[in-house]
Each structure stands twice: as C-alpha cells, then as structure tokens.
Amino acid sequence: MHSRAAYRAATPPLHVLFSTWHAAPVPLGVLLVASIAYIVGVVRVRRRGEAWPVLRTIGFFGLGLAPYAVIELGFLGTYSSELRWAFSTRIALLIFAVPAGVAAGRPLELYSRATGDRGRARLDRLLATRIVRITGNAMVATVVIAAVFCLFLTPVAGILRVNPVVEASLGVVVPLVGLAMVLPMMALGAVHTGTFIAIEFLLAFVELLIDSVPGLLLRLNDTVLDLIPDAARAVSWWPSTLHDQHLAGDLIWFIAEFADVPILVILMVRWMRTDRAEAKTFDDLTDEEYDEMTRAHLHGPR
C-alpha cells in the first residue's frame, strides 16, 4: 500500500504558476518568425488595395501566438523536463489549442491573397495533394491526437521529456503537426460532400470518447509508466513521482474532453458551407434539368 505522502495533493500555488517565466531561444525564434511573416502578409494585402479583417489579426496573435508564448515561456515550458503533468499538458495544448488559435487568423487565406495568382495556384496545388487531403480529414486528426496521448503511457514520453534537444524541438514540431491537420481541414470544405462530412462528424464523436482513455489509464495506474526517476525538489508543492503521473492523467483527461470540440466546430461550418453550395447548385438548374435529374434519381439511367 502506498503511503499518504505518495498521494499528497502537491500542486504549485497560483503565484508560482503566474510568476514562473524563462527565456527560451527556440520559442522566442518561433514567435518572431511567425509574427513577422503574418505582418508582412497583412501589409502586402493592403498594398494590393484589399482589406484584411482586424479580427483575424487579433485572433492570430491573441488566440494563437499569445497562448504559445504562455505555454512555452511560462510555467509549463519551464518545468516541462521535470514534471510529467507540465510536459503532458504542454504537449496537449500545443497540438490542440495553439493550432486552433492560429487558424483563427486564416493564415492560408492571407498567404493566398498576399501572393496573388501565383501564390493562390501554389496553394491550390498543395491542397490537392494526397498527403494534405489525408491530414485534412477529421478522422485522421482525431486518431493522431489519440496516438499522441497514448505516448504518455509508454517510456517514450520519459525519453522525450528528459532529452533537452528533443524536448526543445517539440515546441516547434508539435504545433506544426497540429497545423498540418487543422489548416487543411478548414480549407478543404468545398471538396467534400455533405455525406462525407456527416461520416466524419459521427467518427469524430467516437474519437471524442477514445481520446480520454489515455488520461484515465494514467490516472488509474499505480506504476510509474515512463520509468524516469523522481526529479525531487526542495519545495513544498513538488509532487511525488506517482502523484505527478496522476496529475498528468487528470489534465490529459480534462483536455481530451475538449480536444475534439474545435474539430466538431470546423466540421459544422464545413457542413453548412457544403449544404449552401449544394443548394445553390440545385437553384441554378432549369426546370427541365431538375425534372430530368429527378427522373434519373427515381428510375435510374435508361
């Protein structure tokens, strides 16, 4: 039986959570490059005599880059290599929250409008590739998120957490993986039929339940799964090894309950757009074309 000390409810006080910051070169570089690229795109759009909505710019910086800065430079990034729950929460937010926030700024549309016909053609070719059509599928996105969460149940999570080079590179790789799923998903709405999107919708609801399983297993397991020794600290709020894992499971479970919500919202928007497009197609038909289509549907080709 485990001692009470192993299960002590050791969590950092609020002043520690909000006052812990560090200057990490990798996330600072990401923030700088992303900010400059977006601002340059907005300037080019306006030089072409077009308007770019201010709300999209606010969304990009306020919902995308600001959370990224808080995650990577704040408490989670500072203690990511030492605390399991900080590491798992950081990774979950980087693959889920940050890409959703960046997508609010519509960076693909900004690139298309800032680069003119050539850029639009390049983007269309990219979106037409098989790999992008796969990553832009909501079913693939939810499976990838579930697979990432499952890594926390293996020693791989410990290796990723304690290796300083790998741990730092995750701050770039993980958001890019999230963006590779979210951005094409938003852009490919016009190429999917309403029936296909309905199937995606149903499977996304199933994945919503599956994504919570890794967190439950972390919370209920009384064996340290990543096989990494305790990174003890002489502070009152530092958790034991097992309690650290349980906190990670609690937070992953909580985040997983909301992880698919943006995907479901995107699917709803795509479904509405597809429905409007299909309705417009029917409205554009002449009476004779509509009657012929109805006969073909009811009786089949002759």
Side-chain angles (χ1 to χ4, degrees), residues 179-286:
L179 288 171
M181 296 182 294
V182 173
L183 294 182
M185 196 183 307
M186 295 183 67
L188 291 173
V191 301
H192 288 161
T193 65
T195 302
F196 183 87
I197 296 175
I199 295 173
E200 284 186 305
F201 226 132
L202 293 174
L203 293 178
F205 271 110
V206 174
E207 292 295 340
L208 183 62
L209 302 176
I210 294 175
D211 289 347
S212 63
V213 173
L216 283 170
L217 294 178
L218 275 176
R219 183 64 180 88
L220 299 175
N221 204 306
D222 287 337
T223 302
V224 178
L225 299 176
D226 65 8
L227 307 180
I228 301 297
D230 192 2
R233 282 277 190 111
V235 291
S236 60
W237 57 265
W238 200 262
S240 66
T241 304
L242 190 57
H243 185 61
D244 188 13
Q245 176 174 290
H246 288 171
L247 284 174
D250 290 339
L251 290 166
I252 287 296
W253 184 9
F254 175 78
I255 293 172
E257 292 299 321
F258 296 94
D260 288 339
V261 172
I263 294 175
L264 295 175
V265 172
I266 291 172
L267 285 176
M268 177 65 74
V269 173
R270 282 170 50 178
W271 200 349
M272 293 171 61
R273 290 177 177 174
T274 302
D275 184 66
R276 285 198 299 266
E278 292 177 350
K280 186 178 184 303
T281 301
F282 290 132
D283 291 339
D284 292 339
L285 294 175
T286 64

Side-chain angles (χ1 to χ4, degrees), residues 7-80:
Y7 290 93
R8 65 184 185 275
T11 54
L14 290 179
H15 74 272
V16 174
L17 283 173
F18 293 121
S19 64
T20 302
W21 299 91
H22 74 300
V26 173
L28 287 174
V30 171
L31 289 168
L32 180 62
V33 172
S35 298
I36 291 175
Y38 196 87
I39 292 172
V40 168
V42 173
V43 171
R44 286 187 176 180
V45 169
R46 291 181 176 175
R47 284 181 177 174
R48 296 172 64 89
E50 302 177 17
W52 183 254
V54 176
L55 285 179
R56 292 183 184 177
T57 303
I58 294 175
F60 181 81
F61 286 96
L63 300 178
L65 295 193
Y68 177 82
V70 172
I71 293 166
E72 288 294 276
L73 303 177
F75 182 92
L76 296 178
T78 302
Y79 289 105
S80 177

Side-chain angles (χ1 to χ4, degrees), residues 90-92 94-96 99 148 169-179:
R90 172 189 169 222
I91 298 302
L94 286 178
I95 199 172
F96 152 59
V148 170
S169 66
L170 290 176
V172 179
V173 174
V174 175
L176 289 178
V177 171
L179 288 171

Side-chain angles (χ1 to χ4, degrees), residues 45 51-53 56 105-115 120 123 187 273:
V45 169
W52 183 254
R56 292 183 184 177
R106 307 294 290 270
L108 291 184
E109 182 179 343
L110 177 63
Y111 171 81
S112 176
R113 291 175 58 179
T115 52
R120 192 173 296 109
L123 181 60
R273 290 177 177 174

